[in-house]
Every structure is written in structure tokens, then in C-alpha cells.
């Protein structure tokens, strides 16, 4: 009897030839065959309107051109995870800066550091065990994320100093057209992509405040996100405007060297002790050398990191309105603020908020209140009326003269894209503004929005729970997107868009949930776009564990699909009835078999998406 190799050729038969041999009973793909083009049958059998693609195997994937806008923490992780998880992806990452790491590259003001412990604010799969301090300086965080980009070869996907200025969906081609400005040579181009992922971050567009006369000021004027490293505050009278995280961090450092520091604030704020029991101090908190040495032992380090990170997953109850944890936090913070301002107790008049802790993002602020009790520092709560050529005039008529003014006034906190994003007659840049069509970032689960096909948001609206960690949330969201991209590329889908009724149900759920939290107190915050009473969109409506479960698998029924080809048949991608793996004699069609006695986790049996018959090569013995 002839062997299988004799029948279908040698083991060296090219895969394309094998496909032709195996599917010879089908009409060639190039032939415009009639509807009933098929082998002659000895019996009557129903005639299909679908013409099978003789050259397409079910495990063939379509290459997808995917653009990621932004190369901060989120964009770097996209460059690491998406190529590993999405076969055939053609990835491009646009970054307006000269290097990666986003806010940690842009912010270099004195005192910039993370309020979250170093060993928590990092990758789950590529950690640094040798952080120098418990709360790392911005420069060390910058260096870490740049090192991860180098380690995982993310730079091959990057177009640095390339700024995206416009994004527009073309329904005829089912493509996104990105207008990109090359900051190196000043040229513009339009690039086409199947999918776009915005990883532009929450603080991607700093701007100076719109005070009258600001252009007349003749002194040194800077936003803290645009710090001049050559500026020396010694012997100078300086002002800081704003009491968000950067303002509270920079004031005590300027107070140490400047002749005088005046801090202008508009709103009261809580000066927190810590986020989750990890006490911050003004002085650096280096790790002892023997402890860092112990982290070289994987078991020791894992135990340490799990204990550190676990606390951040368990802090959600403090967000709940009226909970013992939230009320207890109020009393604790008041007591701490009184102790820190003991030398000048009148400082706290009007500074302690009426709103609950966690309505605004907590800022530990070690050294902040203490610095304001010194003779060369002053807190001004009277609103600013205007800038003058030599300083600032407040609404009570008092004029303050300064050599330098630093605006710690944040960036765009409303999560509205900084450039036009247009599809089907709607521009998100306008529609998401308070006076726009939607009036807030209207999304489905914070990942996409109705009417905007093949567009995803990473670390944007509703991105993270009020617990857990940002890197973990980014990684799990990218895994969610990878599942969608794999479905699209392998199942004959041209575009995918969230259904409006699904997005509306999500908004309704948010409207029911957020009033149970302190986020809906009367405060201006990142989470409500700076407008008290506006819909909360800066956090997920639930805990970090909650959103992890929601994003563990896409709810495919919540999406509308546009399919490739004219037939519209959802199973056209089944192709010729074969898998490509079967056309390779060296493929392993029984990878599911393990050696007897091998430890098997039954929960994982047949669960791995990449472990299917023929997907890997045979192991040579």
C-alpha cells in the first residue's frame, strides 16, 4: 500500500502545494465559479450560495496594522505584550518626545517622585528587584521604563518625535487615517491603520493657566511639567500656583533654597499620611543594602513584593461613602495636618476640606505643611485676579512681586483627546467636552466608544479601579485587546464597534454605582474632569479585582461586526476545511499529550489559545 507521503508528496512539499493538493476538490480562488461550483455528487444535495476559498486555512491570520499613540508606561507595555499575543501584528508606536516613559520623562521638577512604592509601581512580568528607594524619584522610574523598552526590544516599533495631530476613520476602506507630524524634519504624513490604540495618558497636554496679563509677566514663568533644569531658586522670590501632587511636592524643595516661596491655592485638599499604610517622609527612604541583597533570592523577593502589593488591592473600602474606613481616614488626616502645621496653626483655616477623603486623589505631601510654617514661606488662599509685569495681584488688591512663577496647574484632566478624532460625523475632541454631544468621555467599559470602529483606549476613561496597581491594569487591558485583535485577524472581521445599547447600559451602571462612593462629594478632581457633579469617568465603577474579572474575556455580544467579503457569511473564514498546521509534516498535531506523571493543572487543560494541533513544531528526540 502506498504511504501517506507517496500520496501527498514528500515531507519537503511546500505548504502552498500541499494546500492545493488537499483542497483540489474546491474551485480555485481565482475562478469566478457559479454558485453551485463543487464536485459532481451521486445524490441530490442542498446547494450553498457560499464559495469556499480553496487557499485559506482556518488558522491563517490576516496581518493587522496597529498604531499605538503614546509611549509612556502604557505604550511601552503595548510594545511588549501585543507582538507576543497577536500573531501577524504590524505595530507602530508614535511618541512626540525624544524617548519613552511619558510623564516620567517630561516631569523633572525638584521633588518629583512616585507616591506609590517602587516595587508596586512596576511591571508584573519584568520587575526590578534593586530599586534604590522605597518611593523612587522620577528619574529612576524613567530609567526603569526605558530599560524595559530596551530589554523587550520595543524601540523597533517606535517612531520618536512623531506627533499625531489628527485621526479620521474611513468607512469605505475601514481604515484609520492618522495625520502625523515629524518633529525631526517638520514634515507631515498620513498613515493608514486597521486599529488605533490611544495610550496618551491622563497628563499629556500641560498648559499655563488663562489668567489675565500672564503674557505681560517679565520674570521666569514655567509650568512644572516644563521645568527649566538651569533655573536656580537661590536668593529669589518665587511663587507656586496649584496644590495638586506637583505643587505639593515642589513647594518644600523650593522653600529650602529660595529667598521666599508663596503658594497660591484655590481649593482645600487632604494632605494624606499614605496610600495604603506605606508612610512617606520628606527625606529619601533608601533600602538597606542587606535588604536589597536579599531580593536577589527569588523566593524572598516574591514574598516581599506580594506583601507590598497586597495592601493596594485591599484599600477599596476606604472609597465607600460613609464607611468606617473613610470616616476614620478623615479624622486621621485632620490630626496629622494639625501636627504638621503646629508652628503656624492658622495655616489650616480653610485648608481642611469639607469633602470626604478620596473625593480628590490623595497626596501624601511629606514636608509640605512643615515648609509653609517657616518664615520664608506663605500660603495664599485669596483668588488670583491677574498677572502683572512683576508679579501677581489677588482679588483683595494685594500685589505680590516675584522673580519666578511656577504653575503647578496640571494638564488636561477631562480625558478629552488633544487632537481631532473623527468618525461618522462625530469628533471626540468636541463630543466629549462638557458642552459637547456627550458632555463626558462616553465609552463602553472605558475601552471603546460607539460609532468609532477599531479604536481602543488604554489607561483612559474608567481605566483602573480605585485599588490595585496601574501597571497590572494596563497589562490586563492589553490582554483584553489582544483577544479582540486575534478574533478580528482570524475570523474574517474587518471592523468591530461597541453597541450603543451596551455603552448606555454601562453608563447607567456607573450612575448607580458612583453615588455610593466618596468620588461624588462636592470636589473638583481628575475623576470628574474638574467639574463637581459631573459624571465620574476617571476610575472604574468598582474595585481593581472587579474590573479584572470584567476584562478577563470580551463580551462578544456587545459588539457590532463588519465582515470581509461580499457574502456576509460569518463562517466564510472556515476556508477550505483544513488547518495550515496540517500542511506541515514537521508540525506537532498532538501537542496536547504530556508524559505520564507530568504535573497537570486541570484548570489549564485545553485553555491556552496558542496550543492547538499543528501550531508548534515536533520536538526532535
Amino acid at each position: 500500500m502506498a504511504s501517506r507521503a507517496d500520496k501527498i508528496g514528500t515531507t519537503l512539499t511546500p505548504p502552498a502545494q500541499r494546500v492545493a493538493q488537499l483542497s483540489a476538490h474546491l474551485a480555485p480562488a481565482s475562478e469566478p465559479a457559479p454558485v453551485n461550483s463543487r464536485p459532481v455528487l451521486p445524490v441530490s444535495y442542498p446547494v450553498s450560495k457560499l464559495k469556499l476559498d480553496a487557499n485559506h486555512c482556518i488558522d491563517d491570520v490576516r496581518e493587522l496594522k496597529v498604531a499605538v499613540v503614546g509611549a509612556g508606561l502604557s505604550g511601552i507595555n503595548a510594545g511588549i505584550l501585543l507582538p507576543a499575543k497577536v500573531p501577524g501584528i504590524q505595530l507602530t508606536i508614535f511618541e512626540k518626545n525624544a524617548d519613552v516613559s511619558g510623564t516620567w520623562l517630561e516631569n523633572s521638577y525638584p521633588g518629583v517622585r512616585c507616591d506609590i512604592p517602587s516595587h508596586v509601581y512596576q511591571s508584573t512580568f519584568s520587575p526590578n528587584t534593586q530599586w534604590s528607594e522605597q518611593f523612587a524619584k522620577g528619574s529612576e522610574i524613567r530609567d526603569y521604563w526605558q530599560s524595559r523598552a530596551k530589554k523587550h526590544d520595543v524601540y523597533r516599533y517606535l517612531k520618536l518625535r512623531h506627533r499625531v495631530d489628527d485621526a479620521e476613520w474611513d468607512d469605505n476602506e475601514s481604515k484609520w487615517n492618522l495625520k502625523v507630524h515629524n518633529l525631526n524634519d517638520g514634515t507631515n504624513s498620513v498613515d493608514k491603520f486597521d486599529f488605533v490604540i490611544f495610550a496618551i495618558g491622563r497628563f499629556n497636554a500641560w498648559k499655563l493657566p488663562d489668567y489675565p496679563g500672564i503674557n505681560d509677566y517679565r520674570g521666569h514663568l514655567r509650568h512644572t511639567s516644563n521645568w527649566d533644569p538651569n533655573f536656580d531658586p537661590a536668593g529669589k522670590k518665587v511663587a507656586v500656583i496649584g496644590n495638586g501632587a506637583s505643587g505639593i511636592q515642589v513647594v518644600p524643595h523650593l522653600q529650602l533654597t529660595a529667598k521666599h516661596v508663596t503658594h497660591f491655592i484655590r481649593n482645600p485638599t487632604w494632605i494624606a499620611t499614605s496610600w495604603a499604610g506605606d508612610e512617606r517622609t520628606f527625606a529619601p527612604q533608601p533600602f538597606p543594602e542587606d535588604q536589597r541583597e536579599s531580593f536577589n533570592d527569588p523566593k524572598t523577593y516574591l514574598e516581599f513584593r506580594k506583601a507590598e502589593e497586597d495592601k493596594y488591592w485591599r484599600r477599596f473600602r476606604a472609597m465607600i461613602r460613609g464607611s468606617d474606613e473613610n470616616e476614620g481616614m478623615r479624622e486621621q488626616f485632620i490630626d496629622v495636618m494639625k501636627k504638621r502645621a503646629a508652628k503656624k496653626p492658622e495655616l489650616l483655616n480653610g485648608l481642611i476640606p469639607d469633602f470626604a477623603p478620596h473625593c480628590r486623589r490623595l497626596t501624601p505631601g511629606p514636608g509640605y505643611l512643615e515648609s509653609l510654617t517657616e518664615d520664608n514661606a506663605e500660603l495664599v488662599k485669596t483668588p488670583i485676579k491677574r498677572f502683572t509685569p512683576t508679579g501677581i495681584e489677588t482679588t483683595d488688591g494685594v500685589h505680590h512681586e516675584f522673580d519666578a512663577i511656577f504653575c503647578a496647574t496640571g494638564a488636561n484632566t477631562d480625558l478629552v483627546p488633544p487632537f481631532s478624532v473623527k468618525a461618522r460625523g462625530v469628533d471626540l475632541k468636541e463630543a466629549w467636552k462638557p458642552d459637547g454631544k456627550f458632555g463626558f468621555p462616553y465609552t463602553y467599559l472605558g475601552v471603546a466608544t460607539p460609532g468609532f470602529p477599531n479604536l481602543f483606549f488604554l489607561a483612559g476613561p474608567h481605566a483602573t479601579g480605585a485599588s490595585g496597581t496601574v501597571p497590572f491594569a494596563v497589562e490586563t487591558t492589553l490582554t483584553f485587546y489582544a483577544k479582540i485583535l486575534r478574533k478580528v485577524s482570524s475570523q474574517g472581521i474587518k471592523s468591530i464597534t461597541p453597541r450603543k445599547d451596551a455603552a448606555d447600559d454601562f453608563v447607567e451602571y456607573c450612575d448607580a454605582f458612583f453615588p455610593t462612593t466618596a468620588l461624588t462629594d462636592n470636589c473638583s478632581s481628575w475623576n470628574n474632569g474638574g467639574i463637581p457633579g459631573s459624571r465620574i469617568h476617571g476610575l472604574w465603577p468598582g474595585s481593581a479585582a472587579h474590573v479584572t474579572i470584567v476584562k478577563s474575556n470580551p463580551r462578544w455580544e456587545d459588539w457590532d461586526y463588519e465582515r470581509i467579503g461580499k457574502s456576509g457569511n460569518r463562517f466564510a473564514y472556515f476556508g477550505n476545511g483544513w488547518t495550515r498546521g496540517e500542511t506541515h509534516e514537521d508540525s506537532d498535531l498532538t501537542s496536547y499529550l504530556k508524559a505520564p506523571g507530568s504535573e497537570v493543572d486541570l484548570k489549564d487543560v485545553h485553555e491556552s489559545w496558542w496550543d492547538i494541533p499543528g501550531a508548534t513544531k515536533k520536538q526532535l528526540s
Side-chain angles (χ1 to χ4, degrees), residues 267-336:
N267 301 303
T269 193
W270 292 107
I271 306 300
T273 52
S274 68
W275 280 83
D278 298 303
E279 195 69 37
R280 277 276 312 276
T281 65
F282 182 61
Q285 295 166 266
F287 285 101
E289 196 59 39
D290 59 341
Q291 187 178 23
R292 290 178 66 182
E293 180 65 27
S294 74
F295 292 161
N296 289 320
D297 174 58
K299 182 179 179 182
T300 300
Y301 181 71
L302 179 61
E303 290 176 353
F304 167 79
R305 183 171 178 187
K306 284 176 71 69
E308 283 278 283
E309 201 150 316
D310 181 83
K311 293 179 291 186
Y312 287 81
W313 285 87
R314 298 186 185 278
R315 54 186 290 270
F316 182 63
R317 190 177 296 275
M319 299 293 300
I320 303 303
R321 179 183 299 282
S323 66
D324 291 342
E325 288 80 359
N326 192 271
E327 292 298 322
M329 190 176 287
R330 176 192 293 270
E331 298 307 315
Q332 179 189 16
F333 289 174
I334 290 175
D335 183 57
V336 167

Side-chain angles (χ1 to χ4, degrees), residues 28 67 146 190 274:
Q146 291 180 359
V190 176
S274 68

